[in-house]
Amino acid sequence: MLTTVLTRHLRPYRGFLAAVVVLQLFATIASLYLPSLNADIIDNGVAKGDTDHIWKVAMWMLAAALGQALCQIAAVRNGARAAMGMGRDLRSGLFEQVMSFSAREVAHFGAPSLITRTTNDVQQLQQLVLMGCIVLVGAPITMIGGIIMALREDVGLSWLVAVAVPLLTISVLLVVRRMVPLFRQMQTRIDAVNRILREQISGIRVVRAFVREDHEIRRFAVANDALTEVGLGVGRLMVLMFPIVIAIMNLSTVAVIWFGGHRVDDGAMPVGSLFAYMSYLIQILMSVMMATMVATMVPRASVAADRIGEVLDTHSTVIPPAQPVRRTNPTGLVELDHVEFTYPGAEAPVLHDVTFTARPGTVTAVIGSTGSGKTTLINLLPRLFDATGGTVRLDGTDVRELDPHELSRDVAIVPQRPYLFSGTVASNLRYGNPDATDDDLWQALRIAQADEFVRGMEDGLDAPIAQGGTNVSGGQRQRLCIARAIVARPTVYLFDDSFSALDLATDARLRAALRPSIRNATMIVVAQRVSTIVDADLIIVLDSGRVVGLGRHAELLTQCPTYAEIVASQLSAQDAA
């Protein structure tokens, strides 16, 4: 998977990578030329006392060193541009893929894991590409060139290279092989730390309300210690690796001096060639050592690439139509025809044979006990899920055949858990309609009974909103979400228990202002409180995913025992009548 991901996302940066290879080639040639020049100075300058020759060769050495430095700088710059560009494209691709996921895929991966894959995992690949351009490209060139230049200086010591290089390579591979499972555990445990940290930050009020700070500290400590344990295991292997590399390099140097000294003493090898040979051997082993450093990054990057590939290769179960249907005159007629829905791996369907019609200009309410499938039901219309049986139609067309953007534009949902984005009141309200004027925003706020507290804010529409809307109360957050849906002006409004955070008086005023303002649209309301839906044109009563009652309030009181029980538990007999 690592090769696949890198090949796919580095393709647009082939020019930069080609420049890196060429520049590293010139830098390596210059680096390999230096020991030969040094040997020339020793044998033909120092040994003969020829100062002019020393200066002449020294100038060539200076030019070679300068050229090497310039080529290395340019190679690093091109490598960095390729690595950072690839990282940007990967993050963008992951983000777009996650945005196409249905709720099912998001739940499968989990938000903390998706965040880690988009940030930390991509960073691992960026670092691998960058270090590969800086080190890995030049290492084989240095190794091959170094061997050629070393043999050029003296063939008699070539057996030292034949022993040292394989020994070093095998030692490194044995250590790296043990790192792979540890790096896989490390990324999984980073997910766990992110998940716990996110839960604790999001639920800080609950933690404090139940005085569970110590419990959460211990819970985080367990996950943190588990990550630390894996990190220490990787560290021990890396600590073991570098002494092995240094020991082999030092032993090889001693061997060159020992056996090369005898050859110099026998007159089979000049002194300058001995120093040059030793330099080449060190360069060869250094290239292996530097490649080793990059090799330690490969296992973790491979794990990261697998995790990134899982996301990129996962296709949403909500598939856009190949030839989307566009409606010419949308009205908002909603029809559910024998709809069934089953969650993946579930033993039984959540919804069974649900059939009803919600007409434009009417209010359709859905009520039932907790877990009866109310939220799942209304999530089928905007295709947060796709029905596993039956048909959901909008204006006579199966929602699976409609253009996704058109469907999103015509169906506005106010979720059970209201969410606001960081920004301002205005930016949140314009989320569904960027062209809305300030007058449109204030009108929507008045309908949602939110204009009073917004005017009370210091900057009004430009008042800042924190991520998640944590700087406003639950009721205010709910009313802003309702106003956001009103600004969008869709043909279908879905309110998923959106009035539960409001007091009864505010709830009544909001519904009284809402109905005439959207009288031509279809409104489907999921509610727990009977008082919220008592005036609905059609009430659907769900029990364990089945429709057990269908009608108006007065009809259901006498015809549907389940509805009568719900009413009795909330209202007195006089109020119910």
mmCIF file of all heavy atoms in Angstrom, residues 526-566:
data_model
loop_
_atom_site.group_PDB
_atom_site.id
_atom_site.type_symbol
_atom_site.label_atom_id
_atom_site.label_comp_id
_atom_site.label_asym_id
_atom_site.label_seq_id
_atom_site.Cartn_x
_atom_site.Cartn_y
_atom_site.Cartn_z
ATOM 1 N N VAL A 526 -39.876 15.494 14.507
ATOM 2 C CA VAL A 526 -39.712 14.414 15.476
ATOM 3 C C VAL A 526 -39.763 15.043 16.855
ATOM 4 O O VAL A 526 -39.075 16.034 17.114
ATOM 5 C CB VAL A 526 -38.374 13.675 15.276
ATOM 6 C CG1 VAL A 526 -38.088 12.744 16.451
ATOM 7 C CG2 VAL A 526 -38.398 12.883 13.985
ATOM 8 N N ALA A 527 -40.579 14.511 17.741
ATOM 9 C CA ALA A 527 -40.744 15.148 19.050
ATOM 10 C C ALA A 527 -40.924 14.103 20.131
ATOM 11 O O ALA A 527 -41.377 12.972 19.887
ATOM 12 C CB ALA A 527 -41.934 16.097 19.027
ATOM 13 N N GLN A 528 -40.561 14.514 21.337
ATOM 14 C CA GLN A 528 -40.822 13.711 22.526
ATOM 15 C C GLN A 528 -42.042 14.260 23.265
ATOM 16 O O GLN A 528 -42.764 13.518 23.904
ATOM 17 C CB GLN A 528 -39.595 13.746 23.457
ATOM 18 C CG GLN A 528 -38.341 13.141 22.873
ATOM 19 C CD GLN A 528 -38.376 11.620 22.859
ATOM 20 O OE1 GLN A 528 -39.314 11.012 23.355
ATOM 21 N NE2 GLN A 528 -37.364 11.003 22.265
ATOM 22 N N ARG A 529 -42.241 15.595 23.165
ATOM 23 C CA ARG A 529 -43.336 16.230 23.896
ATOM 24 C C ARG A 529 -44.597 16.244 23.044
ATOM 25 O O ARG A 529 -44.575 16.680 21.887
ATOM 26 C CB ARG A 529 -42.960 17.661 24.277
ATOM 27 C CG ARG A 529 -41.855 17.734 25.305
ATOM 28 C CD ARG A 529 -41.783 19.109 25.950
ATOM 29 N NE ARG A 529 -41.652 20.200 24.993
ATOM 30 C CZ ARG A 529 -40.739 21.172 25.101
ATOM 31 N NH1 ARG A 529 -39.895 21.158 26.125
ATOM 32 N NH2 ARG A 529 -40.702 22.141 24.228
ATOM 33 N N VAL A 530 -45.680 15.797 23.603
ATOM 34 C CA VAL A 530 -46.961 15.785 22.897
ATOM 35 C C VAL A 530 -47.415 17.207 22.603
ATOM 36 O O VAL A 530 -47.997 17.479 21.536
ATOM 37 C CB VAL A 530 -48.018 15.040 23.739
ATOM 38 C CG1 VAL A 530 -49.397 15.160 23.089
ATOM 39 C CG2 VAL A 530 -47.639 13.585 23.906
ATOM 40 N N SER A 531 -47.118 18.142 23.503
ATOM 41 C CA SER A 531 -47.561 19.525 23.312
ATOM 42 C C SER A 531 -46.965 20.141 22.054
ATOM 43 O O SER A 531 -47.545 21.057 21.463
ATOM 44 C CB SER A 531 -47.177 20.372 24.525
ATOM 45 O OG SER A 531 -45.769 20.354 24.723
ATOM 46 N N THR A 532 -45.817 19.629 21.597
ATOM 47 C CA THR A 532 -45.162 20.163 20.401
ATOM 48 C C THR A 532 -45.898 19.755 19.133
ATOM 49 O O THR A 532 -45.889 20.483 18.141
ATOM 50 C CB THR A 532 -43.693 19.682 20.342
ATOM 51 O OG1 THR A 532 -43.010 20.110 21.508
ATOM 52 C CG2 THR A 532 -42.974 20.224 19.121
ATOM 53 N N ILE A 533 -46.550 18.603 19.136
ATOM 54 C CA ILE A 533 -47.125 18.054 17.903
ATOM 55 C C ILE A 533 -48.639 17.943 17.940
ATOM 56 O O ILE A 533 -49.239 17.385 17.015
ATOM 57 C CB ILE A 533 -46.524 16.658 17.612
ATOM 58 C CG1 ILE A 533 -46.902 15.683 18.741
ATOM 59 C CG2 ILE A 533 -45.014 16.747 17.458
ATOM 60 C CD1 ILE A 533 -46.589 14.243 18.421
ATOM 61 N N VAL A 534 -49.260 18.457 18.992
ATOM 62 C CA VAL A 534 -50.699 18.253 19.157
ATOM 63 C C VAL A 534 -51.505 18.845 17.995
ATOM 64 O O VAL A 534 -52.590 18.354 17.662
ATOM 65 C CB VAL A 534 -51.159 18.829 20.516
ATOM 66 C CG1 VAL A 534 -51.073 20.350 20.516
ATOM 67 C CG2 VAL A 534 -52.566 18.367 20.864
ATOM 68 N N ASP A 535 -50.991 19.894 17.364
ATOM 69 C CA ASP A 535 -51.704 20.539 16.253
ATOM 70 C C ASP A 535 -51.241 20.050 14.888
ATOM 71 O O ASP A 535 -51.611 20.640 13.865
ATOM 72 C CB ASP A 535 -51.522 22.061 16.329
ATOM 73 C CG ASP A 535 -52.154 22.644 17.584
ATOM 74 O OD1 ASP A 535 -53.195 22.124 18.009
ATOM 75 O OD2 ASP A 535 -51.586 23.604 18.145
ATOM 76 N N ALA A 536 -50.433 19.007 14.821
ATOM 77 C CA ALA A 536 -49.906 18.513 13.541
ATOM 78 C C ALA A 536 -51.023 17.971 12.660
ATOM 79 O O ALA A 536 -52.038 17.438 13.143
ATOM 80 C CB ALA A 536 -48.865 17.428 13.787
ATOM 81 N N ASP A 537 -50.848 18.108 11.345
ATOM 82 C CA ASP A 537 -51.837 17.603 10.397
ATOM 83 C C ASP A 537 -51.844 16.080 10.328
ATOM 84 O O ASP A 537 -52.864 15.468 10.027
ATOM 85 C CB ASP A 537 -51.554 18.171 9.002
ATOM 86 C CG ASP A 537 -51.627 19.688 8.995
ATOM 87 O OD1 ASP A 537 -52.721 20.236 9.199
ATOM 88 O OD2 ASP A 537 -50.561 20.332 8.811
ATOM 89 N N LEU A 538 -50.671 15.491 10.577
ATOM 90 C CA LEU A 538 -50.559 14.028 10.565
ATOM 91 C C LEU A 538 -49.537 13.624 11.624
ATOM 92 O O LEU A 538 -48.433 14.158 11.655
ATOM 93 C CB LEU A 538 -50.116 13.532 9.181
ATOM 94 C CG LEU A 538 -49.876 12.021 9.042
ATOM 95 C CD1 LEU A 538 -51.189 11.257 9.186
ATOM 96 C CD2 LEU A 538 -49.206 11.684 7.706
ATOM 97 N N ILE A 539 -49.928 12.701 12.483
ATOM 98 C CA ILE A 539 -49.019 12.201 13.518
ATOM 99 C C ILE A 539 -48.750 10.731 13.238
ATOM 100 O O ILE A 539 -49.684 9.937 13.049
ATOM 101 C CB ILE A 539 -49.613 12.370 14.928
ATOM 102 C CG1 ILE A 539 -49.873 13.852 15.224
ATOM 103 C CG2 ILE A 539 -48.691 11.773 15.986
ATOM 104 C CD1 ILE A 539 -50.574 14.103 16.547
ATOM 105 N N ILE A 540 -47.478 10.385 13.181
ATOM 106 C CA ILE A 540 -47.060 8.989 12.956
ATOM 107 C C ILE A 540 -46.512 8.467 14.274
ATOM 108 O O ILE A 540 -45.588 9.038 14.859
ATOM 109 C CB ILE A 540 -45.972 8.910 11.866
ATOM 110 C CG1 ILE A 540 -46.525 9.484 10.560
ATOM 111 C CG2 ILE A 540 -45.485 7.493 11.675
ATOM 112 C CD1 ILE A 540 -45.451 9.859 9.575
ATOM 113 N N VAL A 541 -47.076 7.384 14.770
ATOM 114 C CA VAL A 541 -46.649 6.793 16.035
ATOM 115 C C VAL A 541 -45.810 5.559 15.727
ATOM 116 O O VAL A 541 -46.278 4.629 15.053
ATOM 117 C CB VAL A 541 -47.858 6.406 16.914
ATOM 118 C CG1 VAL A 541 -47.375 5.904 18.276
ATOM 119 C CG2 VAL A 541 -48.799 7.590 17.086
ATOM 120 N N LEU A 542 -44.550 5.574 16.185
ATOM 121 C CA LEU A 542 -43.637 4.447 15.975
ATOM 122 C C LEU A 542 -43.481 3.649 17.259
ATOM 123 O O LEU A 542 -43.395 4.218 18.354
ATOM 124 C CB LEU A 542 -42.264 4.943 15.521
ATOM 125 C CG LEU A 542 -42.123 5.488 14.098
ATOM 126 C CD1 LEU A 542 -40.677 5.894 13.843
ATOM 127 C CD2 LEU A 542 -42.563 4.463 13.064
ATOM 128 N N ASP A 543 -43.411 2.355 17.112
ATOM 129 C CA ASP A 543 -43.140 1.470 18.244
ATOM 130 C C ASP A 543 -42.257 0.336 17.739
ATOM 131 O O ASP A 543 -42.691 -0.464 16.898
ATOM 132 C CB ASP A 543 -44.440 0.922 18.825
ATOM 133 C CG ASP A 543 -44.197 0.098 20.092
ATOM 134 O OD1 ASP A 543 -43.105 0.241 20.685
ATOM 135 O OD2 ASP A 543 -45.094 -0.676 20.476
ATOM 136 N N SER A 544 -41.019 0.311 18.217
ATOM 137 C CA SER A 544 -40.040 -0.697 17.781
ATOM 138 C C SER A 544 -39.881 -0.702 16.266
ATOM 139 O O SER A 544 -39.775 -1.761 15.629
ATOM 140 C CB SER A 544 -40.447 -2.093 18.265
ATOM 141 O OG SER A 544 -40.503 -2.128 19.666
ATOM 142 N N GLY A 545 -39.892 0.485 15.671
ATOM 143 C CA GLY A 545 -39.652 0.613 14.244
ATOM 144 C C GLY A 545 -40.860 0.379 13.365
ATOM 145 O O GLY A 545 -40.747 0.429 12.138
ATOM 146 N N ARG A 546 -42.008 0.140 13.945
ATOM 147 C CA ARG A 546 -43.228 -0.100 13.165
ATOM 148 C C ARG A 546 -44.210 1.046 13.369
ATOM 149 O O ARG A 546 -44.296 1.613 14.455
ATOM 150 C CB ARG A 546 -43.882 -1.411 13.577
ATOM 151 C CG ARG A 546 -43.005 -2.639 13.347
ATOM 152 C CD ARG A 546 -43.743 -3.911 13.737
ATOM 153 N NE ARG A 546 -42.878 -5.077 13.618
ATOM 154 C CZ ARG A 546 -42.657 -5.748 12.492
ATOM 155 N NH1 ARG A 546 -43.272 -5.352 11.368
ATOM 156 N NH2 ARG A 546 -41.857 -6.796 12.462
ATOM 157 N N VAL A 547 -44.972 1.359 12.324
ATOM 158 C CA VAL A 547 -46.016 2.370 12.433
ATOM 159 C C VAL A 547 -47.234 1.717 13.087
ATOM 160 O O VAL A 547 -47.865 0.827 12.500
ATOM 161 C CB VAL A 547 -46.387 2.938 11.044
ATOM 162 C CG1 VAL A 547 -47.537 3.926 11.183
ATOM 163 C CG2 VAL A 547 -45.181 3.607 10.408
ATOM 164 N N VAL A 548 -47.555 2.166 14.297
ATOM 165 C CA VAL A 548 -48.696 1.598 15.018
ATOM 166 C C VAL A 548 -49.860 2.582 15.085
ATOM 167 O O VAL A 548 -50.929 2.246 15.593
ATOM 168 C CB VAL A 548 -48.284 1.173 16.445
ATOM 169 C CG1 VAL A 548 -47.266 0.052 16.380
ATOM 170 C CG2 VAL A 548 -47.728 2.360 17.241
ATOM 171 N N GLY A 549 -49.628 3.803 14.609
ATOM 172 C CA GLY A 549 -50.692 4.793 14.608
ATOM 173 C C GLY A 549 -50.447 5.847 13.561
ATOM 174 O O GLY A 549 -49.303 6.262 13.326
ATOM 175 N N LEU A 550 -51.542 6.290 12.888
ATOM 176 C CA LEU A 550 -51.411 7.271 11.819
ATOM 177 C C LEU A 550 -52.688 8.101 11.795
ATOM 178 O O LEU A 550 -53.779 7.574 11.558
ATOM 179 C CB LEU A 550 -51.212 6.557 10.476
ATOM 180 C CG LEU A 550 -50.587 7.343 9.322
ATOM 181 C CD1 LEU A 550 -49.142 7.689 9.634
ATOM 182 C CD2 LEU A 550 -50.636 6.516 8.036
ATOM 183 N N GLY A 551 -52.574 9.391 12.086
ATOM 184 C CA GLY A 551 -53.758 10.232 12.085
ATOM 185 C C GLY A 551 -53.520 11.522 12.848
ATOM 186 O O GLY A 551 -52.381 11.874 13.161
ATOM 187 N N ARG A 552 -54.615 12.212 13.187
ATOM 188 C CA ARG A 552 -54.520 13.434 13.972
ATOM 189 C C ARG A 552 -54.599 13.079 15.457
ATOM 190 O O ARG A 552 -54.914 11.945 15.841
ATOM 191 C CB ARG A 552 -55.630 14.403 13.575
ATOM 192 C CG ARG A 552 -55.506 14.908 12.127
ATOM 193 C CD ARG A 552 -56.613 15.876 11.783
ATOM 194 N NE ARG A 552 -56.474 17.122 12.536
ATOM 195 C CZ ARG A 552 -55.785 18.185 12.118
ATOM 196 N NH1 ARG A 552 -55.175 18.164 10.932
ATOM 197 N NH2 ARG A 552 -55.729 19.279 12.847
ATOM 198 N N HIS A 553 -54.366 14.105 16.280
ATOM 199 C CA HIS A 553 -54.281 13.905 17.723
ATOM 200 C C HIS A 553 -55.569 13.285 18.282
ATOM 201 O O HIS A 553 -55.513 12.267 19.003
ATOM 202 C CB HIS A 553 -53.998 15.257 18.398
ATOM 203 C CG HIS A 553 -54.067 15.223 19.892
ATOM 204 N ND1 HIS A 553 -53.102 14.629 20.666
ATOM 205 C CD2 HIS A 553 -55.013 15.717 20.752
ATOM 206 C CE1 HIS A 553 -53.431 14.750 21.950
ATOM 207 N NE2 HIS A 553 -54.585 15.412 22.029
ATOM 208 N N ALA A 554 -56.697 13.864 17.942
ATOM 209 C CA ALA A 554 -57.965 13.380 18.508
ATOM 210 C C ALA A 554 -58.262 11.946 18.071
ATOM 211 O O ALA A 554 -58.765 11.129 18.857
ATOM 212 C CB ALA A 554 -59.109 14.306 18.085
ATOM 213 N N GLU A 555 -57.947 11.611 16.827
ATOM 214 C CA GLU A 555 -58.189 10.270 16.332
ATOM 215 C C GLU A 555 -57.322 9.246 17.056
ATOM 216 O O GLU A 555 -57.783 8.169 17.447
ATOM 217 C CB GLU A 555 -57.920 10.204 14.829
ATOM 218 C CG GLU A 555 -58.802 11.128 13.998
ATOM 219 C CD GLU A 555 -58.336 11.218 12.552
ATOM 220 O OE1 GLU A 555 -57.286 10.601 12.242
ATOM 221 O OE2 GLU A 555 -58.989 11.895 11.751
ATOM 222 N N LEU A 556 -56.044 9.594 17.212
ATOM 223 C CA LEU A 556 -55.099 8.646 17.812
ATOM 224 C C LEU A 556 -55.394 8.390 19.281
ATOM 225 O O LEU A 556 -55.097 7.310 19.798
ATOM 226 C CB LEU A 556 -53.668 9.175 17.642
ATOM 227 C CG LEU A 556 -53.144 9.217 16.204
ATOM 228 C CD1 LEU A 556 -51.789 9.914 16.149
ATOM 229 C CD2 LEU A 556 -53.027 7.808 15.633
ATOM 230 N N LEU A 557 -55.975 9.372 19.963
ATOM 231 C CA LEU A 557 -56.303 9.176 21.379
ATOM 232 C C LEU A 557 -57.261 8.002 21.579
ATOM 233 O O LEU A 557 -57.173 7.276 22.581
ATOM 234 C CB LEU A 557 -56.915 10.449 21.963
ATOM 235 C CG LEU A 557 -55.937 11.546 22.410
ATOM 236 C CD1 LEU A 557 -56.701 12.784 22.858
ATOM 237 C CD2 LEU A 557 -55.031 11.044 23.521
ATOM 238 N N THR A 558 -58.117 7.812 20.631
ATOM 239 C CA THR A 558 -59.117 6.744 20.752
ATOM 240 C C THR A 558 -58.745 5.480 19.979
ATOM 241 O O THR A 558 -59.210 4.384 20.307
ATOM 242 C CB THR A 558 -60.479 7.243 20.233
ATOM 243 O OG1 THR A 558 -60.349 7.678 18.881
ATOM 244 C CG2 THR A 558 -60.982 8.394 21.097
ATOM 245 N N GLN A 559 -57.886 5.623 18.964
ATOM 246 C CA GLN A 559 -57.602 4.484 18.092
ATOM 247 C C GLN A 559 -56.235 3.854 18.322
ATOM 248 O O GLN A 559 -56.005 2.731 17.871
ATOM 249 C CB GLN A 559 -57.707 4.928 16.622
ATOM 250 C CG GLN A 559 -59.082 5.443 16.236
ATOM 251 C CD GLN A 559 -59.105 6.012 14.820
ATOM 252 O OE1 GLN A 559 -58.103 5.962 14.105
ATOM 253 N NE2 GLN A 559 -60.253 6.561 14.419
ATOM 254 N N CYS A 560 -55.314 4.572 18.979
ATOM 255 C CA CYS A 560 -53.940 4.062 19.126
ATOM 256 C C CYS A 560 -53.569 3.997 20.607
ATOM 257 O O CYS A 560 -53.286 5.036 21.225
ATOM 258 C CB CYS A 560 -52.961 4.953 18.363
ATOM 259 S SG CYS A 560 -51.245 4.420 18.486
ATOM 260 N N PRO A 561 -53.558 2.809 21.203
ATOM 261 C CA PRO A 561 -53.215 2.684 22.630
ATOM 262 C C PRO A 561 -51.813 3.201 22.944
ATOM 263 O O PRO A 561 -51.590 3.780 24.019
ATOM 264 C CB PRO A 561 -53.318 1.174 22.880
ATOM 265 C CG PRO A 561 -54.200 0.655 21.794
ATOM 266 C CD PRO A 561 -53.946 1.521 20.604
ATOM 267 N N THR A 562 -50.857 2.994 22.032
ATOM 268 C CA THR A 562 -49.488 3.454 22.274
ATOM 269 C C THR A 562 -49.452 4.978 22.406
ATOM 270 O O THR A 562 -48.806 5.518 23.315
ATOM 271 C CB THR A 562 -48.553 3.011 21.130
ATOM 272 O OG1 THR A 562 -48.595 1.597 21.006
ATOM 273 C CG2 THR A 562 -47.117 3.459 21.403
ATOM 274 N N TYR A 563 -50.152 5.659 21.513
ATOM 275 C CA TYR A 563 -50.190 7.120 21.579
ATOM 276 C C TYR A 563 -50.921 7.583 22.835
ATOM 277 O O TYR A 563 -50.508 8.551 23.492
ATOM 278 C CB TYR A 563 -50.868 7.671 20.331
ATOM 279 C CG TYR A 563 -50.883 9.187 20.259
ATOM 280 C CD1 TYR A 563 -49.726 9.890 19.969
ATOM 281 C CD2 TYR A 563 -52.051 9.907 20.495
ATOM 282 C CE1 TYR A 563 -49.719 11.280 19.907
ATOM 283 C CE2 TYR A 563 -52.073 11.296 20.431
ATOM 284 C CZ TYR A 563 -50.893 11.979 20.137
ATOM 285 O OH TYR A 563 -50.897 13.356 20.087
ATOM 286 N N ALA A 564 -52.001 6.892 23.171
ATOM 287 C CA ALA A 564 -52.757 7.255 24.379
ATOM 288 C C ALA A 564 -51.878 7.120 25.625
ATOM 289 O O ALA A 564 -51.969 7.946 26.549
ATOM 290 C CB ALA A 564 -53.995 6.369 24.488
ATOM 291 N N GLU A 565 -51.021 6.102 25.653
ATOM 292 C CA GLU A 565 -50.118 5.930 26.796
ATOM 293 C C GLU A 565 -49.114 7.080 26.873
ATOM 294 O O GLU A 565 -48.810 7.593 27.954
ATOM 295 C CB GLU A 565 -49.384 4.598 26.671
ATOM 296 C CG GLU A 565 -50.256 3.379 26.914
ATOM 297 C CD GLU A 565 -49.485 2.100 26.724
ATOM 298 O OE1 GLU A 565 -48.230 2.168 26.616
ATOM 299 O OE2 GLU A 565 -50.114 1.021 26.661
ATOM 300 N N ILE A 566 -48.578 7.480 25.710
ATOM 301 C CA ILE A 566 -47.619 8.580 25.687
ATOM 302 C C ILE A 566 -48.280 9.862 26.175
ATOM 303 O O ILE A 566 -47.721 10.607 26.981
ATOM 304 C CB ILE A 566 -47.053 8.776 24.264
ATOM 305 C CG1 ILE A 566 -46.244 7.557 23.834
ATOM 306 C CG2 ILE A 566 -46.177 10.032 24.200
ATOM 307 C CD1 ILE A 566 -45.803 7.588 22.381
#
